[in-house]
Amino acid sequence: MTHDDVVKLDLTALGEKIRNKDISPKEVVQAVLHRIIELNPILNAFITVAAEEAMQQAKQAESEIAAGHYRGPLHGVPIGLKDLIYTKGIRTTMGSSVYEHFVPETDAAVVRKLQEAGAILIGKLNTHEFAYGPTGDISHFGAVRNPYDLSKMTGGSSSGSGAAVAAALCFGALGTDTGGSIRIPASACGIVGMKPGFGRVSKQGIYPLAYTLDHPGPMTRTIRDNAVMLGVLAGHDPDDPYTLVQSEEDFARYIGESIRGKVIGIPSTFYYEDLHDEVQEKVEEAIQVFKDLGAEIRTVDIPVLSEVSWAQLKTIQSEAYAIHAELLNAPEADKYHPETRERLLLSADAKGYEYVQAQDIRRRAQAAFQQVFASVDVIVTPTLPILPPDIGQRETVIQGKSEQVRPALLRLTGPTNLTGLPSLSVPCGFSRTGLPIGMQLIGKPMDEAVLYQFGAAFEREASVSTLKWEIHSR
């Protein structure tokens, strides 16, 4: 197989070829590194490429597989990591000059899980500085560029992860999501992104943004690939007090099953307000696909949603400032990007009573969603209300009204960070100018497998491309 043939494979197909010894992990790493050398100067997705370490891991994987010690579907598969996930001996920058030369002494829990599964860690992916932003264009190492249009944002904060998966620079990536930071770049870059339920995946060894809102999760080209990755990542971790006690689970177990007779909830307010026309059009077409597959569509009311954005904002402000307060009062404060520093300093204005009020809204929002889920299996919404903006753009116009880009990008994803519900972004089409559009599937607690069932049914029927192959520098 040529380098191009290799990197065009999705994670599941590649895993099968490695297992059957049709291709060696060393050949795979060489193909991926060739693609990274060609395109990373254009996209700026990777901050650090761990070429030498990846080749060593590939040799080990090849020896193990030859000896019959196959570890599973990620064995020998190159995976990228958002650069606020600690990697022993490999620098971890948080996208900031504050940590430009920081090299952790230990691995994050998710890194250990990937290593135990035999995955090859190909490098560290660019991120919005300290993950505190949904645009993906604020990083000490420069903005990440969208593979579908190099003038556009990837979305953030898992910006490099979105671009790298979409452009075949790795077969899957790990991101983190505090207000939408997996699903926003997944939608903007036309890939699959899962924010698992809160506590599904350990945050130990991942630089925090907000203790009660952070969710690590997988970003991939296909639904099955995503389910496979989550199966490796999920699990209780005694070193992360927020993780849930949970049994080992096959998240792909419902993939391929019919959704006929299942019920999809469509919120009557909030999620379908103030949308770009083409976003609304593509999501409505996706809902029709679900109807054609036999699902019942039911309008649902979630009245507390009008308060959720405020509660999400006050929670992230309070928790982010608590994490950064010491650094912001140290000499290193001058190393923050001005936009990040300004946002953190404004976060100090959040009042203690506002944080308490926000937690009461969180409780009521969780109860409201629980009531809706008594009568529906999943909720379907747009992932983003707008198309990917230009890099550096901070204002946009939606339905004739001016809106700040940052809150617009966060508006439809933030609620399930506050409630902790699992949420999956699935590509559902393209704008007339060729920009990706995503829809969001929201599920019950611990119901990621059902989201994958619905996502796979749509993916199979709609066949929306999740690979941007031809990318040319301007």
Side-chain angles (χ1 to χ4, degrees):
M1 299 178 73
T2 67
H3 287 335
D4 287 357
D5 292 334
V6 172
V7 294
K8 283 180 178 177
L9 294 169
D10 62 43
L11 184 154
T12 303
L14 176 68
E16 282 296 308
K17 287 189 175 295
I18 290 173
R19 182 179 189 177
N20 296 332
K21 304 183 183 67
D22 295 331
I23 188 170
S24 77
K26 286 190 291 187
E27 290 176 284
V28 175
V29 169
Q30 288 167 351
V32 169
L33 290 175
H34 182 268
R35 180 84 171 163
I36 291 172
I37 289 168
E38 176 189 6
L39 291 181
N40 197 57
I42 299 172
L43 297 173
N44 199 32
F46 280 90
I47 291 173
T48 301
V49 180
E52 184 177 334
E53 294 87 348
M55 284 305 300
Q56 291 173 351
Q57 293 169 32
K59 291 174 185 176
Q60 179 181 341
E62 191 165 326
S63 298
E64 290 173 347
I65 293 167
H69 302 306
Y70 181 68
R71 301 194 193 192
L74 293 188
H75 203 172
V77 176
I79 301 294
L81 300 171
K82 186 176 183 178
D83 201 27
L84 43 76
I85 299 168
Y86 284 19
T87 41
K88 182 179 180 180
I90 301 173
R91 72 169 178 163
T92 303
T93 71
M94 280 55 82
S96 177
S97 63
V98 177
Y99 287 100
E100 183 176 4
H101 304 295
F102 173 62
V103 179
E105 296 180 356
T106 58
D107 286 317
V110 288
V111 173
R112 294 194 297 272
K113 280 182 169 285
L114 288 169
Q115 290 170 335
E116 289 165 7
I120 293 171
L121 307 181
I122 199 71
K124 308 301 291 292
L125 292 157
N126 209 342
T127 172
H128 198 107
E129 186 177 33
F130 290 111
Y132 204 14
T135 57
D137 57 358
I138 299 297
S139 166
H140 176 63
F141 302 91
V144 183
R145 288 174 280 279
N146 194 311
Y148 284 89
D149 182 335
L150 299 177
S151 70
K152 301 295 182 181
M153 294 175 183
T154 57
S157 61
S158 305
S159 48
S161 301
V165 172
L169 305 188
C170 55
F171 295 92
L174 191 55
T176 62
D177 192 312
T178 307
S181 289
I182 287 171
R183 291 159 291 157
I184 293 167
S187 178
C189 295
I191 62 169
V192 178
M194 169 65 90
K195 181 198 77 63
F198 187 72
R200 268 292 195 187
V201 179
S202 174
K203 302 190 297 296
Q204 186 275 325
I206 301 177
Y207 197 96
L209 175 56
Y211 299 115
T212 69
L213 300 173
D214 291 347
H215 300 65
M219 302 171 71
T220 58
R221 290 184 222 159
T222 73
I223 298 291
R224 183 174 292 277
D225 290 355
N226 208 278
V228 166
M229 278 192 69
L230 184 58
V232 168
L233 298 167
H236 176 66
D237 179 4
D239 293 326
D240 177 0
Y242 293 101
T243 54
L244 302 170
V245 175
Q246 53 194 287
S247 302
E248 190 172 327
E249 189 172 342
D250 175 12
F251 291 100
R253 64 187 182 275
Y254 300 137
I255 290 178
E257 290 190 11
S258 172
I259 61 168
R260 183 168 297 279
K262 301 288 185 180
V263 182
I264 293 174
I266 305 297
S268 59
T269 59
F270 186 80
Y271 282 106
Y272 288 86
E273 297 170 355
D274 298 325
L275 303 180
H276 188 286
D277 290 343
E278 292 181 76
V279 171
Q280 183 163 347
E281 176 186 330
K282 290 302 175 184
V283 174
E284 287 177 352
E285 288 176 4
I287 292 169
Q288 184 60 50
V289 169
F290 284 127
K291 288 179 69 174
D292 293 342
L293 290 169
E296 177 188 341
I297 307 301
R298 185 177 299 172
T299 301
V300 296
D301 294 321
I302 316 174
V304 74
L305 286 172
S306 62
E307 304 173 69
V308 163
S309 294
W310 180 88
Q312 165 77 8
L313 174 64
K314 292 304 173 182
T315 302
I316 194 172
Q317 284 182 331
S318 301
E319 296 185 7
Y321 187 79
I323 289 161
H324 286 269
E326 185 175 349
L327 264 179
L328 287 168
N329 290 289
E332 290 85 357
D334 291 338
K335 294 184 177 181
Y336 282 86
H337 187 282
E339 185 173 301
T340 309
R341 187 182 182 194
E342 179 186 12
R343 191 176 180 197
L344 282 165
L345 291 174
L346 287 172
S347 295
D349 294 336
K351 306 294 192 294
Y353 75 86
E354 292 177 323
Y355 185 81
V356 173
Q357 290 172 335
Q359 304 325 299
D360 182 61
I361 294 170
R362 185 201 296 253
R363 177 192 58 78
R364 290 192 285 116
Q366 289 170 332
F369 273 96
Q370 184 177 358
Q371 185 174 357
V372 168
F373 280 123
S375 60
V376 305
D377 295 290
V378 301
I379 294 169
V380 171
T381 79
T383 305
L384 299 177
I386 58 176
L387 300 176
D390 293 338
I391 290 171
Q393 184 179 344
R394 291 298 179 264
E395 288 190 14
T396 188
V397 176
I398 309 174
Q399 298 294 337
K401 294 184 291 186
S402 179
E403 186 171 349
Q404 292 294 309
V405 164
R406 187 169 66 216
L409 290 171
L410 293 164
R411 175 151 47 92
L412 306 184
T413 52
T416 54
N417 289 92
L418 192 72
T419 61
L421 294 171
S423 309
L424 179 70
S425 184
V426 180
C428 66
F430 295 89
S431 73
R432 286 184 281 278
T433 56
L435 294 173
I437 295 170
M439 71 171 163
Q440 179 176 220
L441 308 180
I442 301 171
K444 303 172 187 177
M446 308 291 279
D447 229 7
E448 290 88 351
V450 171
L451 295 185
Y452 288 134
Q453 177 188 8
F454 276 79
F458 176 82
E459 179 184 71
R460 186 171 56 251
E461 189 73 14
S463 299
V464 178
S465 173
T466 56
L467 175 61
K468 177 60 176 171
W469 185 253
E470 295 293 338
I471 299 166
H472 302 288
S473 181
R474 287 171 292 174

